[in-house]
């Protein structure tokens, strides 16, 4: 039987998750309520494989076990394994959660996705240290536009996609990678800190706890200078299709970039079988005919018939056919 059991303890304003055990668990949904109270905290090293044996023993003595529905249960038997380190791929934090302790997910090396709410207000130092495979964050704002998103982004210097929502508003945002390098300035006898990539600039587009969308969009030229084309396609297309907080100037900048490179964009989306996204994006663009025909030719050679069909339908609806007089004039020229 598959399932998850949580080791809890009384906290200052609710229950604290000390450890968890499961069988067949890759995506972990931390429960919101247990035995009549709310779960408000994840303890330090709760899901780390680097927790000390003494600390583990103390937690087992201090806590009590509950099942996925929050009811008291027996301790896990030998069919269960501790959920820690490489046993955790996705984590969903409940709306009730307020705090995540220091190094709570330390060394969760295959963790790919984190979902959380704006009710999370305290992120301990190094909570996601060693989690280098995280690719996606999902943040749901219920109290306003602010959250601990920037705190997580600063802990995770890798390239990240963020699904952000507030009320009925949605935005898909991409944050490029950055890394810092210490370079010795021998004549001055100092160590200079050099930052590479546009990722740090994107992570600084926050006022207090809220993302400044205008500033985020203004950084696109810097990203064009630093980042790979595939990421730029994702970033620009995501903003055009979910344009919350976007100015007309930013929209024009994104459109111009994608329209001028549409052939390469269409090939990327087709290879990744992102046909619905491609169709939606086409409704936002005015694709130059040379780029459109180049894409059709390339995709036809690759046998991407569904993508070709989308592009040909777009051409039928949006590109005016050339008259006989115009064809004759072009031939004579």
């Amino acid at each position: 039987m598959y399932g998850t059991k949580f080791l809890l303890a009384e906290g200052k304003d609710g229950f604290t998750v000390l450890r968890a055990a499961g069988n067949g668990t890759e995506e972990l949904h931390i429960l919101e309520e247990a035995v009549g109270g709310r779960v408000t905290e994840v303890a330090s090293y709760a899901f780390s494989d680097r927790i000390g044996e003494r600390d583990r023993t103390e937690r087992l003595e201090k806590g009590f076990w509950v099942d996925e529905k929050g009811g008291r249960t027996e301790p896990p038997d030998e069919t269960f394994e501790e959920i820690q380190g490489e046993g955790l791929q996705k984590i969903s934090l409940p709306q009730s959660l307020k705090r995540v302790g220091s190094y709570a997910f330390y060394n969760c090396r295959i963790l790919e996705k984190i979902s959380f709410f704006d009710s999370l207000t305290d992120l301990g130092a190094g909570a996601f240290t060693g989690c280098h495979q995280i690719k996606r964050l999902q943040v749901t704002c219920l109290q306003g536009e602010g959250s601990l998103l920037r705190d997580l982004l600063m802990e995770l210097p890798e390239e990240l996609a963020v699904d952000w929502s507030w009320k009925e508003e949605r935005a898909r945002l991409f944050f490029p990678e950055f890394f810092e390098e210490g370079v010795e300035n021998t004549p001055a006898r100092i160590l200079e800190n050099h930052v590479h990539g546009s990722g740090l600039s994107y992570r600084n587009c926050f006022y207090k706890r809220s993302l400044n969308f205008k500033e985020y969009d203004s950084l696109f030229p810097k990203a064009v200078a630093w980042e790979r084309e595939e990421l730029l396609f994702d970033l620009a297309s995501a903003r055009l299709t979910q344009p919350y907080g976007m100015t007309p100037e930013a929209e024009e900048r994104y459109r111009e970039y994608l329209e001028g490179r549409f052939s390469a964009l269409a090939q990327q989306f087709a290879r990744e079988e992102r046909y619905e996204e491609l169709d939606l994006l086409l409704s936002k663009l005015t694709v130059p005919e040379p780029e459109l025909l180049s894409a059709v030719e390339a995709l036809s050679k690759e046998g991407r018939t569904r993508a070709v069909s989308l592009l040909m339908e777009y051409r039928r609806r949006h590109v005016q056919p050339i008259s006989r007089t115009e064809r004759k004039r072009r031939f004579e020229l």
Side-chain angles (χ1 to χ4, degrees):
M1 179 178 180
Y2 291 96
T4 305
K5 295 185 178 184
F6 296 92
L7 181 65
L8 304 183
E10 291 278 359
K12 58 183 179 181
D13 55 1
F15 293 115
T16 299
V17 178
L18 302 179
R19 296 294 279 178
N23 44 28
T25 302
E26 290 185 349
E27 182 170 2
L28 181 65
H29 295 266
I30 293 180
L31 73 175
E32 188 160 353
E33 294 186 356
V35 291
R38 295 173 70 79
V39 175
T40 58
E41 185 172 358
V42 172
S44 60
Y45 291 93
F47 297 96
S48 174
D49 59 2
R50 301 299 178 90
I51 187 172
E53 192 60 38
R54 180 178 177 181
D55 190 3
R56 179 188 282 109
T57 301
E58 289 178 352
R59 294 185 183 201
L60 290 171
E61 294 173 350
K62 175 184 177 182
F64 60 93
W65 290 95
V66 299
D67 58 26
E68 293 171 329
K69 296 182 179 180
R72 284 184 178 267
T73 188
E74 295 296 319
D77 58 26
E78 65 277 358
T79 64
F80 285 74
E81 295 182 357
E82 284 191 270
I83 299 174
Q84 60 180 13
E86 294 190 0
L88 189 59
Q89 192 169 4
K90 299 177 183 178
I91 181 73
S92 180
L93 305 177
Q95 185 180 340
S96 61
L97 201 72
K98 298 179 181 180
R99 294 175 295 277
V100 171
S102 301
Y103 303 101
F105 297 91
Y106 177 46
N107 218 34
C108 290
R109 291 180 291 274
I110 68 168
L111 185 60
E112 295 180 356
K113 179 185 175 183
I114 307 166
S115 301
F116 65 102
F117 290 82
D118 58 353
S119 50
L120 180 63
T121 56
D122 187 358
L123 186 68
F128 293 95
T129 297
C131 303
H132 299 298
Q133 297 302 315
I134 296 176
K135 299 178 177 64
R136 184 179 173 192
L137 302 177
Q138 182 175 340
V139 52
T140 303
C141 298
L142 300 175
Q143 304 170 42
E145 295 186 31
S147 67
L148 280 190
L149 176 58
R150 183 179 184 274
D151 297 66
L152 266 76
L153 290 169
M154 293 303 293
E155 280 230 348
L156 305 168
E158 290 81 15
E159 182 181 304
L160 290 166
V162 175
D163 292 309
W164 177 92
S165 66
W166 176 52
K167 296 182 178 180
E168 301 302 318
E169 305 293 347
R170 302 287 185 274
R172 166 64 73 89
L173 307 161
F174 285 85
F175 288 82
E177 181 182 18
F178 76 95
F179 67 93
E180 299 180 74
E181 178 186 24
V183 178
E184 183 179 1
N185 185 331
T186 304
R189 297 182 179 180
I190 60 173
L191 189 66
E192 297 176 346
N193 192 42
H194 293 187
V195 178
H196 299 271
S198 62
L200 185 59
S201 297
Y202 272 92
R203 284 161 173 79
N204 284 327
C205 292
F206 287 81
Y207 176 69
K208 295 183 178 179
R209 286 165 39 109
S210 298
L211 177 67
N212 185 325
F213 285 90
K214 183 176 181 180
E215 186 177 349
Y216 174 94
D217 290 329
S218 73
L219 289 172
F220 188 64
K222 184 174 183 177
V224 171
W226 277 96
E227 310 302 336
R228 58 189 179 87
E229 188 176 62
E230 292 83 0
L231 173 61
L232 297 171
F233 287 160
D234 286 337
L235 192 158
S237 60
R239 288 299 287 142
L240 284 178
T241 54
Q242 294 186 330
Y244 178 73
M246 187 167 63
T247 64
E249 294 77 15
E251 178 183 3
E252 181 59 30
R253 190 159 51 237
Y254 288 132
R255 280 167 48 90
E256 183 178 317
Y257 179 82
L258 295 181
E259 289 168 356
R261 297 162 178 80
F262 181 78
S263 180
L265 166 69
Q267 292 175 64
Q268 176 185 324
F269 277 31
R271 284 194 297 269
E272 297 170 358
E273 298 185 352
R274 296 161 61 181
Y275 301 113
E276 292 183 3
E277 290 181 61
L278 179 60
D279 193 26
L280 178 60
L281 187 60
L282 282 167
S283 68
K284 308 289 183 180
L285 300 177
T286 303
V287 183
E289 189 170 15
E291 283 290 318
L292 191 65
L293 295 177
S294 174
V296 169
E297 181 180 4
L299 292 169
S300 297
K301 291 179 180 179
E302 295 180 13
R304 308 284 183 180
T305 54
R306 185 173 175 182
V308 171
S309 177
L310 288 174
L311 300 188
M312 293 305 293
E313 176 62 20
Y314 174 88
R315 186 170 187 265
R316 184 187 69 79
R317 286 182 287 134
H318 295 282
V319 179
Q320 293 294 327
I322 301 174
S323 65
R324 286 188 177 184
T325 303
E326 178 64 15
R327 283 200 298 269
K328 181 179 179 182
R329 188 184 71 82
R330 292 187 181 184
F331 177 76
E332 290 173 349
L333 288 174

